[in-house]
């Protein structure tokens, strides 16, 4: 489970960030980048953030700590900026907090991670179909000389079709991944060779635990997934199917 805290102050919007994430202070004295439940992309983006960050840690890819951050109506009321006020009002309830890494800088290639870490990051992105780690949007931070992966909201995009279609694990398992535009493509020299090792860390129980970290309230039932238990099981099934079909999505045509 993720820690559950409350926002005590809205500080400022982040200058970058398509979804208008903001910086908040929270009841644990921490400072968080808040990903709002009421942002245009909806709750599924928050679900992807949690699941992929949990998978990342299982293969030793550093990610900032996450927390569920409750936002109270009163914080929205005192916000002067109208656009932000609307977003805060639409986001009363449980939002995603990403521990703010002060002074981190955006990845620019000047301090590339070791090949070993780059391969793990590309492998994770290929597994979760995360297309959002390119030079135009690296979504990597360097903090105290360490590379952190952030912004996984675009991964697991299959769930956006769930309101209108039943989950299709075979289709996701067979979806290729184009690693050529990945920001670490040149550093991650042998991703395919890592598959055996990395997939061994993502046992069915580990994947289930990663999915288990998502709060119930973010898992939206559909006509095919009647309750949160069914939605959770669907994520596990989709990921397990893809893990078992690496030839389809590993960069460079599959296994060594
Ligand atoms: N935990 C963090 N610590 C410090 N800075 C952060 C953190 N998370 C995000 N940022 C900064 O805020 C920017 C936007 O965050 P993020 O990419 O997660 O949001 P987004 O709305 O999904 O953005 P986009 O859609 O533009 O990629 C990042 O590129 C980074 O500069
Ligand atoms: Mg981003």
């Amino acid at each position: 489970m993720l820690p559950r805290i409350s926002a005590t102050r809205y500080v400022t919007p982040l200058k970058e960030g398509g979804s208008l994430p903001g910086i908040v202070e929270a009841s644990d004295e921490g400072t968080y980048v808040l990903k709002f439940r009421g942002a245009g992309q909806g709750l599924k983006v928050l679900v992807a953030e949690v699941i992929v960050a949990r998978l990342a840690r299982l293969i030793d890819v550093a990610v900032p700590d996450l927390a569920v951050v409750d936002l109270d109506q009163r914080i929205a009321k005192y916000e002067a900026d109208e656009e932000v006020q609307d977003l805060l009002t639409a986001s009363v309830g449980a939002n995603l907090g990403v521990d703010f890494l002060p002074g981190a800088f955006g990845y620019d290639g000047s301090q590339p991670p070791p090949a070993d870490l780059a391969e793990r990051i590309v492998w994770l992105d290929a597994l979760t179909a995360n297309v959002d780690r390119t030079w135009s949007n690296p979504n990597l931070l360097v903090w105290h000389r360490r590379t952190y992966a952030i912004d996984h909201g675009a991964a697991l995009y299959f769930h956006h079709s769930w309101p209108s279609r039943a989950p299709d694990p075979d289709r996701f398992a067979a979806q290729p991944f184009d690693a050529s535009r990945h920001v670490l493509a040149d550093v991650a020299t042998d991703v395919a060779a890592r598959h055996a090792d990395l997939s061994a860390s993502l046992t069915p129980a580990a994947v289930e635990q990663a999915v288990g970290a998502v709060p119930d309230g973010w898992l939206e039932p559909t006509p095919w997934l009647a309750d949160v238990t069914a939605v959770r099981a669907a994520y596990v099934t989709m990921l397990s199917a893809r893990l078992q079909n690496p030839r389809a999505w590993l960069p460079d045509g599959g296994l060594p």
Side-chain angles (χ1 to χ4, degrees):
M1 291 290 279
L2 297 177
R4 187 144 195 163
I5 54 185
S6 317
T8 49
R9 185 167 83 95
Y10 177 83
V11 182
T12 182
L14 270 179
K15 284 181 197 72
E16 315 96 293
S19 61
L20 213 69
I23 306 269
V24 301
E25 290 170 355
S27 50
D28 67 346
E29 313 270 293
T31 304
Y32 292 84
V33 171
L34 209 63
K35 301 271 177 125
F36 292 104
R37 60 180 296 127
Q41 296 91 332
L43 290 168
K44 292 201 170 62
V45 175
L46 309 188
V47 174
E49 289 268 16
V50 172
I51 295 176
V52 177
R54 284 293 167 123
L55 298 179
R57 287 213 168 151
L58 289 169
I59 58 164
D60 280 329
V61 169
V63 292
D65 289 339
L66 300 181
V68 177
V69 180
D70 271 309
L71 187 68
D72 195 275
Q73 179 67 51
R74 280 168 298 181
I75 291 181
K77 220 168 77 188
Y78 293 119
E79 174 55 40
D81 182 295
E82 214 171 297
E83 190 186 3
V84 174
Q85 194 184 58
D86 288 348
L87 181 59
L88 294 177
T89 303
S91 301
V92 167
N95 298 271
L96 178 67
V98 183
D99 189 25
F100 180 67
L101 307 180
F105 61 88
Y107 184 75
D108 64 0
S110 63
Q111 284 185 48
D116 163 67
L117 174 57
E119 286 160 2
R120 278 179 276 135
I121 294 173
V122 174
W123 185 83
L124 176 72
D125 289 336
L127 170 68
T128 60
N130 179 23
V131 295
D132 209 2
R133 212 171 330 260
T134 61
W135 280 109
S136 55
N137 207 357
N139 288 323
L140 293 173
L141 296 177
V142 180
W143 192 59
H144 295 285
R145 296 212 185 83
R146 209 167 160 209
T147 304
Y148 285 75
I150 59 160
D151 192 4
H152 301 110
L156 310 180
Y157 57 78
F158 54 74
H159 54 190
H160 294 287
S161 71
W162 283 357
S164 55
R165 262 190 276 138
D168 187 346
D170 293 339
R171 185 184 159 130
F172 180 54
Q175 208 100 68
F177 180 77
D178 176 12
S180 64
R181 292 178 59 240
H182 197 282
V183 67
L184 298 175
D186 292 342
V187 195
T189 41
D190 204 353
V191 179
R194 307 299 304 276
H195 178 76
D197 245 15
L198 298 177
S199 60
S201 303
L202 302 194
T203 60
V207 172
E208 210 167 297
Q209 263 190 24
V211 174
V214 179
D216 279 352
W218 295 353
L219 297 163
E220 301 162 298
T222 75
W224 291 274
L225 302 167
D227 54 27
V228 292
T229 307
V231 181
R232 276 187 215 284
Y235 283 106
V236 176
T237 305
M238 298 294 272
L239 284 163
S240 306
R242 193 157 167 93
L243 274 166
Q244 278 157 30
N245 196 32
R247 281 180 201 283
W249 51 268
L250 277 178
D252 304 321
L255 301 173

